[in-house]
Amino acid sequence: MERSLRAARVATYVYFVLCGTLMGTWVVHIPAIEERVGISHASLGGLLVLLGLGAFIGMRVAGPLTDRLGARVVVPTGGILCGAALILPGLARDPWTLAGALLVFGFCNGCLDVSMNAHAVHVEKAYGRPVMSGFHATFSVGGVLAALAGAGAASAGLNPAAGMAAMGAMGIVIALGSARVLLPTAPTVESPGSGSPEKAEASPADTRRSAKGRVWLLAVLALMVMLCEGAANDWSALHLKDVLGAPAGTAAFAYGTFAAAMTIGRLLADRFVARFGSVAILRHGAATAAVGITLVALGPWMWAAFTGWALFGLGLSGCVPQLFSAAGHADPAAAGANVSRVAGLGYVGMLAGPAVIGWLTHLVALNHAFVLLTLLCVTTAVAAGVLRTGSVRTRESEMASSGH
C-alpha cells in the first residue's frame, strides 16, 4: 500500500505540472495569437471571459463526476481533453473561432483542475499529513516550463499552432501514462464528526447539510483570496511602472517577485500546516498578505514595493490549498463536488480581480485601489476559524497523533 500511495502522490504532482504547463502554453502564445487574429487588447479581455466561463462550467461538471466515477477515470480524461483542446486557440483565424476555442479549452482545463484537486484531497487523507500545498507549488512549476518551452519554440521559428500542438500531444501522452497509479476511489473514512459523541448523534442528512454550508463559506473565502491573486497577476508590474516610475524591465520583476514568493511559500507550507494547523496558516498567511499589500499601497519607495509584493505572495501562498483541502475533507463522499464549489467561486474571483481594480482606478489612484485587497485579506484572517470545524478539526488531530 505504501508504494502504491507514493506512486499516486507522484502522479498527482505530474498532473498538477501538466495543468500548469498546458495553461502556461496558452498564456505565452497570447501575443502571437492576438496579432494573428487581429483583435485589440480590449477585445481579448472580453474573449478571456469565455475562457473563465468554460473553466467554471467544467469545474461544476467534473466535480460530481469525480465522486461518481473515481479520479482514475476523470483525471486522465480531463488531461487528455485539455491536451487535445490546447491546439484550438492556435488554429483560430478570427474572433469567433477564438471565442469557441477558448470556451472549449477553458471547459477542459476546469475538468482537469477540479478532478486533480479532488484526487489530491484523497491522497492527503491517505497520507495522514498535509501535502496539498506542495501540489499547488508544482502547478507554478508547470508555468515556468511552459515559458521556457514557448521561448524555445519561438527561437526555432515554430508558429503558435505547431508549438501548442506539440505541447498538447505531449500532454495527452503524459495523462495516459500516469493514469494507472491514481487512487481509484476515495480512502475509506469515518463519517464527518464521528470522532465526537455529540456529532455522532447527528443524522447523515444533517451532517451533509452542515458540511455543504461550511463549504460555501470556504468558497467565499476562496473568492476573496483568489481575487487578490488575480489582481497581483495583472497589476503588479503596472504599479511599479505607472505609480513609481520604474523602467519596464524593472517593473516586470514585481510580478516575478510575487510569483517566486508564492511558489516558495507553497513548497514550505505543508510543513508548517503539519506543525501549526491549517487555521494558523490561513490566518497568519492572510495577515501577512494584508501587511504586504498595504506596504505596496502606501510605500513611496521601490524597495518597499518589492518587499510588499514578496510578502503578499508569501502570505497568499498557503491560503488556497488549505481552503481546497478543507472543502474536500468536509465530506469525503462528495469531495469532488465540494472542491468544484470552492474552486469555481475562487476562479470567479481570480477573473474579477483585475477588473475590479481597473474599475476602482476610475475613482482613486492605482496604489490606493489596492486598499481593497488589504480589506479582503483582513476579512479572510478574521474568518479563518471556519476551517476548525467538524471533520477538519478531527483530521488535524488524527494527523498530529499519527506522528507524521
Side-chain angles (χ1 to χ4, degrees):
M1 176 61 183
E2 184 176 349
R3 177 179 293 183
S4 63
L5 182 56
R6 190 181 299 114
R9 184 183 181 186
V10 171
T12 309
Y13 281 127
V14 169
Y15 280 107
F16 270 80
V17 172
L18 175 62
C19 188
T21 302
L22 294 178
M23 178 56 72
T25 299
W26 148 248
V27 170
V28 299
H29 284 95
I30 286 177
I33 293 175
E34 180 187 47
E35 181 179 358
R36 190 188 61 210
V37 174
I39 54 177
S40 65
H41 294 333
S43 298
L44 177 64
L47 291 175
L48 289 176
V49 173
L50 294 175
L51 178 70
L53 176 62
F56 182 81
I57 296 172
M59 290 174 181
R60 301 295 290 148
V61 170
L65 280 179
T66 305
D67 295 330
R68 188 175 307 147
L69 303 177
R72 188 176 286 179
V73 174
V74 182
V75 175
T77 300
I80 292 168
L81 292 176
C82 196
L86 179 61
I87 192 176
L88 297 179
L91 296 175
R93 299 297 179 190
D94 57 65
W96 291 105
T97 54
L98 182 58
L102 292 179
L103 186 66
V104 173
F105 178 62
F107 175 86
C108 298
N109 181 264
C111 290
L112 175 59
D113 196 317
V114 159
S115 59
M116 72 185 187
N117 270 288
H119 183 262
V121 168
H122 298 329
V123 171
E124 184 175 64
K125 178 65 180 179
Y127 259 85
R129 61 184 173 88
V131 295
M132 180 65 80
S133 295
F135 293 136
H136 282 250
T138 56
F139 178 89
S140 301
V141 172
V144 174
L145 293 177
L148 294 174
S155 299
L158 291 177
N159 62 50
M164 297 171 85
M167 292 299 293
M170 185 179 68
I172 291 173
V173 173
I174 292 173
L176 286 170
S178 304
R180 61 184 180 84
V181 296
L182 295 175
L183 298 177
T185 56
T188 302
V189 295
E190 295 179 328
S191 61
S194 61
S196 58
E198 63 273 18
K199 290 289 183 180
E201 298 175 1
S203 68
D206 289 339
T207 302
R208 185 67 56 84
R209 281 194 294 270
S210 175
K212 187 174 181 180
R214 191 162 62 249
V215 165
W216 282 116
L217 290 176
L218 296 171
V220 172
L221 293 180
L223 183 147
M224 292 191 291
V225 170
M226 294 179 72
L227 188 151
C228 293
E229 187 176 339
N233 291 344
D234 282 32
W235 291 103
S236 53
L238 286 172
H239 164 257
L240 256 74
K241 181 175 181 291
D242 295 345
V243 177
L244 299 181
T250 302
F253 283 104
Y255 173 70
T257 300
F258 169 80
M262 175 167 280
T263 302
I264 293 170
R266 285 181 171 170
L267 289 172
L268 299 175
D270 287 329
R271 297 181 182 181
F272 288 98
V273 174
R275 182 170 182 179
F276 302 107
S278 58
V279 175
I281 296 305
L282 181 59
R283 177 169 291 137
H284 295 296
T288 300
V291 171
I293 197 63
T294 302
L295 190 58
V296 170
L298 304 180
W301 308 287
M302 199 83 68
W303 66 263
F306 281 114
T307 301
W309 286 119
L311 288 174
F312 195 50
L314 189 65
L316 292 179
S317 63
C319 294
V320 168
Q322 303 321 307
L323 295 170
F324 280 23
S325 178
H329 288 289
D331 181 2
N338 288 337
V339 170
S340 74
R341 293 184 180 105
V342 175
L345 204 56
Y347 204 83
V348 170
M350 177 78 79
L351 294 173
V356 170
I357 296 299
W359 179 79
L360 285 176
T361 59
H362 293 293
L363 305 175
V364 296
L366 173 59
N367 56 320
H368 295 154
F370 291 151
V371 173
L372 171 65
L373 308 183
T374 300
L375 296 176
L376 294 178
C377 290
V378 169
T379 302
T380 301
V382 172
V386 70
L387 293 182
R388 188 176 288 134
T389 53
S391 60
V392 176
R393 187 193 295 116
T394 303
R395 172 170 57 93
E396 290 190 349
S397 65
E398 288 174 349
M399 289 179 179
S401 63
S402 67
H404 290 289

